């Protein structure tokens, strides 16, 4: 069944979303976590046959991760491992990038058992055209496919942001929020790759994969969350 009959959920992908990593600051992202939980509920209601988690990676990719792939937050001083979809007892192969590890944590937190899960990592070196092509390949697969897309907007919204204050950040993030809330694939594909890199946007490539998968569909968008805690733009939305 074509992608148009299923759904997509978009959420931020910072490790700080995991309470054990955020520690004392965990309550500051409660609203973002709640929005991600609501978005996953939309995916479950779409009754997919397969869920693909798409997130940022250190290499261009696309890098595919099978169900059961392991992610870890030990690099943040937290003794916490997560598994993509389910721990199937085979964690061989590369570990999950942090964005996909956050996705695995979200699925585990909500007890996802609705469909098998795979992961796809895409990095900032992957062009907009190639990202969209990856999305088209996903849409061409047989069966009902849903997407969970993780990634952050700019990291330059305030003086204390990881990328310091950049006046271009707020307008860029506003367009991202509008496009994700309106389910506008064309606007996502049109995002400026060079500007996204300068603004330290981790979600550009994953969002453009979503755009390719949703081309020529009639999905409607709902914006669930938009804020910039710590000077980083976080957006959660659903397409269904």
């Amino acid at each position: 069944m074509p992608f148009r009959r299923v759904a997509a959920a978009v959420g931020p992908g910072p490790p700080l979303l995991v309470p054990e990593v955020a520690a004392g600051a965990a309550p500051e992202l409660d609203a973002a976590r709640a929005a991600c939980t609501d978005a996953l509920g939309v995916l479950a209601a779409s009754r997919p046959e397969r869920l693909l988690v798409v997130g940022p990676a250190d290499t261009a990719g696309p890098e595919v991760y099978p169900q059961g792939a392991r992610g870890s937050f030990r690099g943040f001083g937290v003794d916490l491992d997560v598994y993509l979809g389910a721990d199937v007892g085979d964690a061989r192969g590369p570990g999950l990038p942090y964005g996909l590890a956050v996705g695995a944590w979200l699925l585990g937190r909500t007890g996802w058992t609705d469909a098998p899960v795979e992961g796809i990592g895409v990095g900032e070196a992957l062009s907009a055209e190639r990202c969209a092509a990856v999305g088209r390949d996903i849409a061409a697969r047989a069966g009902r496919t849903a997407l969970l897309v993780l990634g952050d907007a700019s990291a330059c919204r305030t003086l204390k942001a990881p990328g310091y204050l950049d006046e271009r950040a707020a307008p860029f993030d506003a367009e991202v929020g509008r496009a994700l809330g309106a389910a506008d694939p064309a606007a996502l594909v049109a995002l400026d790759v060079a500007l996204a890199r300068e603004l330290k946007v981790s979600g550009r490539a994953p969002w453009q994969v979503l755009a390719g998968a949703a081309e020529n569909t009639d999905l409607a968008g709902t914006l669930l969350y938009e804020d910039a805690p710590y000077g980083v733009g976080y957006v959660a939305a659903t397409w269904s």
Side-chain angles (χ1 to χ4, degrees):
M1 194 169 289
F3 182 75
R4 73 184 66 217
R5 293 295 187 88
V6 194
V10 179
L16 284 172
L17 209 60
V18 179
E20 291 89 339
V21 174
E28 297 177 18
L29 291 181
D30 280 348
R33 294 185 194 98
C36 291
T37 298
D38 291 344
L40 285 173
V42 171
L43 293 189
S46 73
R47 301 178 62 186
E49 297 174 25
R50 176 195 305 109
L51 174 64
L52 293 181
V53 182
V54 184
D58 293 332
T59 59
E63 184 78 27
V64 177
Y65 299 86
Q67 176 153 305
R70 181 176 63 87
S72 173
F73 295 99
R74 296 170 191 265
F76 296 91
V78 175
D79 186 12
L80 175 64
D81 292 338
V82 292
Y83 296 87
L84 195 60
D87 178 4
V88 296
D90 183 4
R92 293 175 295 180
L96 295 171
Y98 285 123
L100 290 179
V102 170
W105 175 81
L106 286 169
L107 293 172
R109 178 175 182 257
T110 57
W112 178 272
T113 58
D114 298 85
V117 182
E118 296 177 26
I120 299 178
V122 287
E124 68 174 17
L126 204 63
S127 69
E129 294 78 10
R130 184 71 183 104
C131 289
V134 172
R136 294 185 199 103
D137 290 343
I138 291 171
R141 295 187 184 188
R144 299 169 59 86
T145 301
L147 296 182
L148 172 59
V149 182
L150 286 306
D152 303 340
S154 74
C156 303
R157 292 280 292 273
T158 65
L159 292 173
K160 294 184 178 180
Y164 196 66
L165 176 64
D166 191 314
E167 293 180 354
R168 302 171 297 174
F172 183 95
D173 289 359
E175 173 58 11
V176 167
R178 187 208 64 77
L180 291 174
D184 187 343
L188 294 178
V189 171
L191 290 174
D192 188 315
V193 174
L195 178 58
R197 183 181 298 112
E198 292 172 10
L199 296 177
K200 303 184 182 302
V201 176
S202 69
R204 189 274 305 171
W207 298 330
Q208 289 178 334
V209 171
L210 168 61
E215 281 182 357
N216 303 314
T217 68
D218 55 1
L219 296 176
T222 300
L223 187 64
L224 301 178
Y225 176 87
E226 185 176 19
D227 202 356
Y230 318 117
V232 181
Y234 296 157
V235 180
T238 57
W239 293 19
S240 61

